[in-house]
């Protein structure tokens, strides 16, 4: 009678019943059968794992693409630290590596809060205009994105407050003209990002310009005293505090009485001497038939030839002792004995020139 179990005299052999009778099988045959079954099972598991891996990769790629599209087109969150002051280093030292660029300063300084402050609003707008003219390609990709985000906040503020409409129109026109030239040079490292993104941003600029053109200034509901009700002396005193001749022209179009006051020669003489030097005025003298100086015509002629004097309530300051850039209304950790003696006020052009190295 055959031994049905493992034969102890021949280890590794088994008796197997077949149609032809009983046969001996070795562990190699058994391992072959087991290996075939395990190979099939492993192949099935591998196919299943590949399907899961491809599915997860496709989900990750789709999620990354959605995130990238959102970052490029839909995001409105600026990526800067909103610091009150920054250290401006212009070269590598043992303690610091690299240097501070215009884009880095634009990212880190708190410009979002500055546009909410009426004292800093005109300063930021002028800075955005100067960057739009010549410095936009020098900004990093993040700084260019922040530039557009801050610009959108400025436009929204003007639309809500219905103030400072004209300077924002001029800013948008300057930026659009600059982008028209820069987009034509795409591929030459002038702008960071896809050309479609910048075309979309240019379309937004045109839309903002249309919204500003359609803005309607709401008449105040107050029934109290207005500018027209004041005596002529007080009206002239108020007009003398206007620093832009275009504001005087707009004010003169309100009513004939104010229009007559805005033609006062002393008003335009003050404006000419406020914005321009005596040498510049002597080069553009204009005399009427009666022998009087045409101060109003001289003002607009001088405005086309020379820049206006800039004056801001609050500006950025730079400490020459510790090389820290900060807003005027904030303090900085200066180690000098007299910090006020080593700080200087920066105009928007001075701020840009600070990073020309």
């Amino acid at each position: 009678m055959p031994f049905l179990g493992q034969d102890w005299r021949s280890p590794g052999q088994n008796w197997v019943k077949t149609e032809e009778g009983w046969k001996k099988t070795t562990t190699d045959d058994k391992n072959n059968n087991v290996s075939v079954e395990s190979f099939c099972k492993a192949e099935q598991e591998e196919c299943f794992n590949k399907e899961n891996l491809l599915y997860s990769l496709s989900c990750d790629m789709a999620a990354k693409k959605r995130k990238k599209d959102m970052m490029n087109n839909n995001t409105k969150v600026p990526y800067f630290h909103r610091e009150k002051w920054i250290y401006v280093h212009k070269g590598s030292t043992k303690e610091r590596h690299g240097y501070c660029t215009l884009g880095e300063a634009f990212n880190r300084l708190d410009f979002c809060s500055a546009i909410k402050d009426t004292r800093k609003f005109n300063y930021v707008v002028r800075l955005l205009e100067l960057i739009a003219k010549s410095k936009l390609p020098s900004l990093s990709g993040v700084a260019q994105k922040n530039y557009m985000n801050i610009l959108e906040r400025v436009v929204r503020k003007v639309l809500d407050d219905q103030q400072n409409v004209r300077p924002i129109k001029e800013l948008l026109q300057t930026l659009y003209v600059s982008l028209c030239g820069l987009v034509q040079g795409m591929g030459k490292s002038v702008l960071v990002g896809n050309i479609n993104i910048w075309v979309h941003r240019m379309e937004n600029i045109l839309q903002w310009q249309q919204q500003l053109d359609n803005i309607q200034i709401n008449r105040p509901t107050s029934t109290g005293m207005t500018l027209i009700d004041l005596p002529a002396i007080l009206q002239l005193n108020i007009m003398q505090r206007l620093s832009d001749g275009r504001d005087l022209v707009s004010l003169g179009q309100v009513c004939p009485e104010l229009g007559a006051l805005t033609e006062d020669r002393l008003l335009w003489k003050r404006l000419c001497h406020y914005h321009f030097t005596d040498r510049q005025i002597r080069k553009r003298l204009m005399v009427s038939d009666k022998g009087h100086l045409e101060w109003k015509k001289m003002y607009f002629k001088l405005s086309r030839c020379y820049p206006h004097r800039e004056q801001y309530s609050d500006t950025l300051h730079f400490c020459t002792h510790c090389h820290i850039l900060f807003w005027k209304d904030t303090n900085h950790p200066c180690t000098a004995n007299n910090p006020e003696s080593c700080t200087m006020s920066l105009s928007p052009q001075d701020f840009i020139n600070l990073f020309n190295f």
Side-chain angles (χ1 to χ4, degrees):
M1 183 175 179
F3 186 75
L4 299 180
Q6 185 175 359
D7 190 358
W8 62 271
R9 291 168 297 181
S10 55
Q13 292 181 348
N14 291 328
W15 289 92
V16 179
K17 185 177 181 180
T18 63
E19 295 179 355
E20 298 176 358
W22 292 91
K23 288 186 177 182
K24 292 181 180 181
T25 59
T26 61
T27 55
D28 295 335
D29 298 335
K30 183 178 179 181
N31 290 337
N32 290 336
N33 296 331
V34 174
S35 62
V36 172
E37 294 177 359
S38 62
F39 176 78
C40 295
K41 185 177 181 181
E43 188 175 1
Q44 293 177 356
E45 292 179 356
E46 185 177 359
C47 293
F48 181 75
N49 292 334
K50 284 184 178 179
E51 292 178 358
N52 291 337
L53 180 61
L54 291 175
Y55 178 76
S56 61
L57 287 176
S58 61
C59 292
D60 291 342
M61 292 178 62
K64 289 181 179 179
K65 186 176 184 303
R66 287 194 301 267
K67 184 177 180 181
K68 183 178 180 180
D69 293 340
M70 182 187 68
M71 295 275 287
N72 289 334
N73 299 323
N74 301 329
T75 183
K76 307 301 178 188
V77 181
Y79 295 90
F80 41 72
H81 307 284
R82 298 186 179 183
E83 299 178 9
K84 295 182 179 180
W85 55 266
I86 62 172
Y87 176 79
V88 180
H89 50 287
K90 296 185 178 181
S92 299
T93 62
K94 294 181 180 179
E95 294 80 12
R96 291 180 178 271
H97 177 70
Y99 53 90
C100 184
T101 61
L102 175 63
E104 182 181 354
F106 190 79
N107 287 339
R108 295 173 58 187
L109 285 173
D110 190 5
F111 284 102
C112 271
S113 299
I115 62 178
K116 300 177 183 178
D117 192 342
T118 55
R119 299 172 300 171
K120 304 176 183 177
F121 182 81
N122 292 329
Y123 185 91
V124 176
V125 171
R126 178 58 178 165
L127 181 60
L128 294 176
E129 185 178 1
L130 292 176
I131 293 176
K133 286 182 178 179
S134 59
K135 294 298 181 180
L136 193 60
S138 65
L139 301 181
S140 63
V142 176
Q144 290 177 2
K145 188 181 299 183
N146 289 337
Y147 181 93
M148 299 303 300
N149 289 332
I150 292 176
L151 178 62
E152 182 176 359
R153 293 195 177 195
V154 170
V155 174
R156 297 303 175 193
K157 177 178 173 56
V158 172
L159 291 175
D160 295 338
D161 299 343
Q162 298 183 346
Q163 297 178 1
N164 302 307
V165 178
R166 185 175 60 244
I168 305 306
K169 284 184 178 181
E170 296 175 354
L171 168 61
L172 293 178
Q173 182 63 25
T174 301
L175 178 60
Y176 186 81
V177 173
S178 298
L179 288 180
C180 288
L182 294 175
V183 168
Q184 294 178 359
M186 289 294 289
K188 301 178 182 178
S189 301
V190 292
L191 289 175
V192 181
N194 191 292
I195 187 174
N196 296 326
I197 297 176
W198 287 102
V199 171
H200 176 70
R201 290 171 177 171
M202 294 176 65
E203 293 175 354
N204 289 337
I205 294 174
L206 293 177
Q207 184 178 1
W208 294 337
Q209 288 179 329
Q210 185 177 3
Q211 292 176 356
L212 292 174
D213 292 336
N214 298 332
I215 191 173
Q216 296 181 355
I217 307 299
N218 297 326
R219 195 175 186 86
T221 57
S222 175
T223 58
M225 184 176 293
T226 61
L227 179 63
I228 303 176
D229 301 329
L230 295 176
I233 298 177
L234 293 180
Q235 292 175 351
L236 281 174
N237 193 4
I238 294 175
M239 293 177 185
Q240 290 176 0
R241 305 180 188 280
L242 298 177
S243 61
D244 195 333
R246 294 172 296 181
D247 294 334
L248 277 178
V249 174
S250 300
L251 184 59
Q253 297 173 353
V254 175
C255 64
E257 292 79 8
L258 293 178
L261 289 177
T262 56
E263 296 296 330
D264 186 71
R265 294 177 61 253
L266 291 179
L267 285 176
W268 296 100
K269 182 179 179 180
R270 287 174 180 269
L271 281 177
C272 289
H273 285 289
Y274 176 77
H275 289 289
F276 312 107
T277 63
D278 294 338
R279 183 179 179 181
Q280 293 172 346
I281 294 174
R282 286 195 298 267
K283 290 182 178 180
R284 299 291 188 273
L285 289 178
M286 299 178 66
V287 183
S288 65
D289 298 336
K290 298 181 180 181
H292 300 298
L293 290 176
E294 296 285 351
W295 290 105
K296 182 177 180 179
K297 295 181 180 179
M298 288 170 55
Y299 169 82
F300 288 106
K301 188 174 183 179
L302 289 166
S303 299
R304 292 191 294 268
C305 300
Y306 306 105
H308 283 193
R309 176 184 176 184
E310 298 180 2
Q311 186 176 4
Y312 306 99
S313 301
D314 195 356
T315 63
L316 285 169
H317 280 59
F318 181 71
C319 180
T320 58
H321 177 76
C322 55
H323 299 280
I324 285 181
L325 186 66
F326 61 98
W327 286 103
K328 177 182 176 181
D329 58 349
T330 58
N331 297 322
H332 71 286
C334 186
T335 58
N337 296 328
N338 189 6
E340 296 181 359
S341 62
C342 55
T343 59
M344 59 180 182
S345 176
L346 298 180
S347 66
Q349 186 62 54
D350 294 335
F351 172 79
I352 293 178
N353 294 337
L354 186 65
F355 300 97
N356 290 338
F357 47 83

